[in-house]
């Protein structure tokens, strides 16, 4: 083969490669537009609907020997070399109502939504992320905030998917990291994986860019798996599962795994109010429901409570209701007349259930009373749990001659929360039916 022939062959090969690259670029652009159209169709046409969430949360204590820099921590984490010790787990069950860019939450099955309750009453501690339904999709795929790249094909769960990268700079971002009182706006980047046959989004991975040192965190990473869900008479792209990972600068870590279920549209029998909360809570309730006449119990009336069902702490979660009954009547303080008879049904709700696996292992369950049945109608029951008496101190400390029971910080923060601690309990620990506790009626907070 002569020199000119070789040169012509090389030029022809380069032209073929360049043509293939142009074709691949055009295909990638066309697929990205299909993805955007599918996502936009969901974001713009999504009706008001509700889903149930089960959130398994884990907190990890830092490895005693770990790199001091976030770069070192993240590098070891992504290689699977950094393995902090599991310190605590808990589970939440919530309902979420979604409309446009709003998400409001309640305990599962409660049919009452109050946006203020998410962090003030429902999820007081630990990590929790909002925005997984349509806010991220709208931020990335609508407008011009994100810059995209095509990163080739990848095989995931036996499927060949197209992988795209994206980045949203801080000045165009609405990603808030922190809490309501203190938060920062951060840029973010990540990848998404697409079925090239349908143009459907399969997985979205979002990572925060460098967080300020005063947040105490190196990175928050969110992975959302999507699928099509039929709501009424149409299909929409909704999350099926999500995972949130937060790596802190001290080496500790948090992981939340959320499973979405029972998503359904709100039809004529229900109503939602997504207005800014005022003095009255925004609610969702059946139109035919009517509140029973109210019985206001005086405060400071003692009574004994008996749980009438076992509680399997391996499967129970914050948000679960508990059945109980009065083991003693609630009586008027002066006349001793029976206001609520012994044996009356009581409902309570688990507001937190934590497992501490590190020896000595233990389980901590926080409970709040909700209703008592009077004349066949469930009426609100507000009460505080009595603290067990502490033994008299043998030695005077700064003039204090007797221990004063204060309880846990949870009870101090909300005295209507009863705290049950079970030392030496394991993950499969079952609270047996018949657990007794002493309570006192209280004014509603």
């Amino acid at each position: 083969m002569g020199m000119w022939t070789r040169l012509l062959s090389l030029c022809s090969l380069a032209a073929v490669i360049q043509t293939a690259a142009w074709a691949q670029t055009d295909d990638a652009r066309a697929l990205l537009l299909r993805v955007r159209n599918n996502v936009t169709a969901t974001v713009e046409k999504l009706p008001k609907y509700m889903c149930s969430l089960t959130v398994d949360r884990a907190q990890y204590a830092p490895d005693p020997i770990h790199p001091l820099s976030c770069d070192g921590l993240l590098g070891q984490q992504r290689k699977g070399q950094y393995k902090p010790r599991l310190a605590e787990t808990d589970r939440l069950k919530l309902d979420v109502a979604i409309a446009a860019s709003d998400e409001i939450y309640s305990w599962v099955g409660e049919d009452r939504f109050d946006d203020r309750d998410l962090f003030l009453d429902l999820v007081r501690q630990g990590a929790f992320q909002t925005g997984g339904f349509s806010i991220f999709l709208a931020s990335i795929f609508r407008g011009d905030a994100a810059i995209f790249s095509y990163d080739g094909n990848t095989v995931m769960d036996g499927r060949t998917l197209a992988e795209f990268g994206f980045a949203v700079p801080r000045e165009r971002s609405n990603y808030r990291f922190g809490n309501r009182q203190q938060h920062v706006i951060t840029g973010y980047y990540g990848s998404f994986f697409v079925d090239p046959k349908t143009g459907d989004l399969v997985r979205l991975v979002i990572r925060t860019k460098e967080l300020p040192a005063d947040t105490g965190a190196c990175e928050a990473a969110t992975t959302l798996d999507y699928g099509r869900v039929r709501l009424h008479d149409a299909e929409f792209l909704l999350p099926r599962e999500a995972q949130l990972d937060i790596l802190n600068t001290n080496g500790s870590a948090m992981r939340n795994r959320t499973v979405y279920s029972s998503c359904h549209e709100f039809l004529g029998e229900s109503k939602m109010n997504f207005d800014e909360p005022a003095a009255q809570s925004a609610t969702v309730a059946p139109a035919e429901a009517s509140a029973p006449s109210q019985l206001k119990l005086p405060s400071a009336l003692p009574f004994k409570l008996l749980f009438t069902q076992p509680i399997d702490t391996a499967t129970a979660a914050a948000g679960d209701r508990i059945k109980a009954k009065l083991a003693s009547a609630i009586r008027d303080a002066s006349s001793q007349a029976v206001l609520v008879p012994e044996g009356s049904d009581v409902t309570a709700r688990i507001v937190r259930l934590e497992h501490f696996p590190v020896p000595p292992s233990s389980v901590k369950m926080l409970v709040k009373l909700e209703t008592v049945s009077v004349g066949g109608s469930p009426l609100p029951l507000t009460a505080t749990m009595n603290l067990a008496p502490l033994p008299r101190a043998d030695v005077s400390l700064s003039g204090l001659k007797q221990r004063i029971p204060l309880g846990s910080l949870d009870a101090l923060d909300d005295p209507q929360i009863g705290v049950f601690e079970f030392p030496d309990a394991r993950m499969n620990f079952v609270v047996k039916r018949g657990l007794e506790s002493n309570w006192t009626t209280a004014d509603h907070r």
Side-chain angles (χ1 to χ4, degrees):
M1 181 183 292
M3 180 180 69
W4 292 110
T5 304
R6 287 197 298 272
L7 287 174
L8 287 172
S9 297
L10 290 173
C11 289
S12 298
L13 178 60
V16 169
I17 293 174
Q18 188 176 45
T19 301
W22 285 338
Q24 190 177 41
T25 300
D26 289 341
D27 289 345
R29 286 172 177 165
L31 180 55
L32 179 58
L33 290 175
R34 288 175 64 198
V35 175
R36 185 195 65 181
N37 291 340
N38 285 343
V39 168
T40 301
T42 283
V43 172
E44 292 182 349
K45 299 177 183 178
L46 194 62
K48 294 179 180 180
Y49 70 103
M50 187 184 89
C51 292
S52 294
L53 315 179
T54 300
V55 187
D56 286 288
R57 306 193 300 178
Q59 297 189 42
Y60 297 84
D63 187 332
I65 302 175
H66 72 274
L68 296 178
S69 70
C70 280
D71 288 342
L73 283 168
L74 290 169
Q76 286 201 4
Q77 184 192 59
R78 288 169 187 170
K79 293 177 183 177
Q81 298 172 345
Y82 184 69
K83 298 178 180 179
R85 173 175 51 86
L86 180 64
E88 179 184 341
T89 65
D90 72 334
R91 180 181 292 120
L92 304 168
K93 290 182 181 177
L94 301 169
D95 283 340
V96 58
I98 303 101
S101 61
D102 291 305
E103 299 174 12
I104 52 178
Y105 294 80
S106 77
W107 290 125
V108 67
E110 193 173 36
D111 290 334
R112 181 177 70 87
F113 291 89
D114 185 339
D115 188 45
R116 294 170 299 176
D117 281 350
L118 177 58
F119 296 107
L120 296 179
D121 189 39
L122 302 183
V123 186
R124 289 170 174 260
Q125 294 183 355
F128 193 85
Q129 184 171 37
T130 61
F133 290 89
S134 59
I135 298 175
F136 275 133
L137 296 182
S139 298
I140 296 169
F141 293 99
R142 296 173 68 185
D144 59 354
I147 299 173
F148 298 93
S149 65
Y150 172 61
D151 298 342
N153 291 341
T154 187
V155 177
M156 184 181 296
D157 299 329
R159 302 167 63 186
T160 299
L161 303 176
E163 180 178 354
F164 291 85
F166 71 92
V168 176
R170 182 181 180 278
E171 57 270 17
R172 296 184 179 183
S173 173
N174 58 4
Y175 189 128
R176 295 192 304 173
F177 182 86
N179 54 45
R180 290 191 175 188
Q181 287 71 41
Q182 295 180 320
H183 63 266
V184 297
I185 301 295
T186 178
Y188 56 98
Y189 68 101
S191 303
F192 57 92
F193 303 84
V194 175
D195 185 333
K197 297 178 181 178
T198 63
D200 275 352
L201 181 66
V202 175
R203 175 172 291 178
L204 174 63
V205 181
I206 302 163
R207 299 182 182 277
T208 58
K209 292 190 176 179
E210 185 174 350
L211 294 170
D214 57 4
T215 64
C218 297
E219 180 188 76
T222 302
T223 301
L224 291 153
D225 289 330
Y226 287 87
R228 288 205 167 265
V229 175
R230 178 164 287 276
L231 298 176
H232 195 41
D233 58 353
E235 287 191 341
F236 297 91
L237 198 63
L238 300 180
R240 295 183 294 104
E241 191 172 309
Q243 182 167 298
L244 169 66
D245 289 283
I246 297 176
L247 181 63
N248 295 316
T249 54
N250 66 356
S252 64
M254 302 177 186
R255 169 168 287 179
N256 291 6
R257 178 177 175 268
T258 302
V259 175
Y260 305 87
S261 62
S262 305
C263 294
H264 62 276
E265 184 180 0
F266 275 97
L267 301 174
E269 71 271 12
S270 300
K271 58 183 179 180
M272 280 191 293
N273 183 357
F274 281 88
D275 295 336
E276 190 70 20
Q280 297 293 325
S281 300
T283 62
V284 177
E288 68 272 14
S290 59
S293 58
Q294 301 294 308
L295 169 70
K296 184 171 177 59
L297 291 170
S299 60
L301 303 181
F303 63 93
K304 183 174 289 187
L305 192 71
L306 185 77
F307 290 132
T308 57
Q309 67 178 81
I311 303 166
D312 186 347
T313 65
T315 57
D320 286 348
R321 279 198 172 103
I322 309 172
K323 295 179 180 178
K325 67 179 181 181
L326 293 183
S328 66
I330 301 177
R331 297 178 177 272
D332 181 80
S334 57
S335 67
Q336 291 299 299
V338 173
L339 301 178
V340 186
E342 179 180 345
S344 297
D345 291 332
V346 173
T347 61
R349 192 181 294 273
I350 300 174
V351 295
R352 195 151 79 246
L353 182 60
E354 300 170 302
H355 293 86
F356 301 92
V358 179
S361 59
S362 64
V363 171
K364 184 178 180 181
M365 182 173 70
L366 278 60
V367 172
K368 199 168 187 176
L369 305 189
E370 289 192 336
T371 66
V372 60
S373 181
V374 178
S377 297
L379 301 177
L381 176 61
T382 304
T384 59
M385 185 174 168
N386 298 346
L387 298 170
L390 294 173
R392 189 179 182 88
D394 295 329
V395 180
S396 173
L397 297 176
S398 302
L400 181 67
K401 300 195 180 294
Q402 185 173 355
R403 284 180 173 177
I404 302 173
L406 295 177
S408 71
L409 290 176
D410 303 292
L412 291 175
D413 186 48
D414 185 350
Q416 295 169 22
I417 289 177
V419 181
F420 297 85
E421 298 191 60
F422 306 96
D424 302 319
R426 300 187 178 184
M427 276 291 294
N428 58 357
F429 174 70
V430 177
V431 180
K432 294 181 179 180
R433 180 189 293 110
L435 178 67
E436 289 188 351
S437 53
N438 294 307
W439 296 74
T440 302
T441 59
D443 292 327
H444 180 72
R445 285 186 69 186

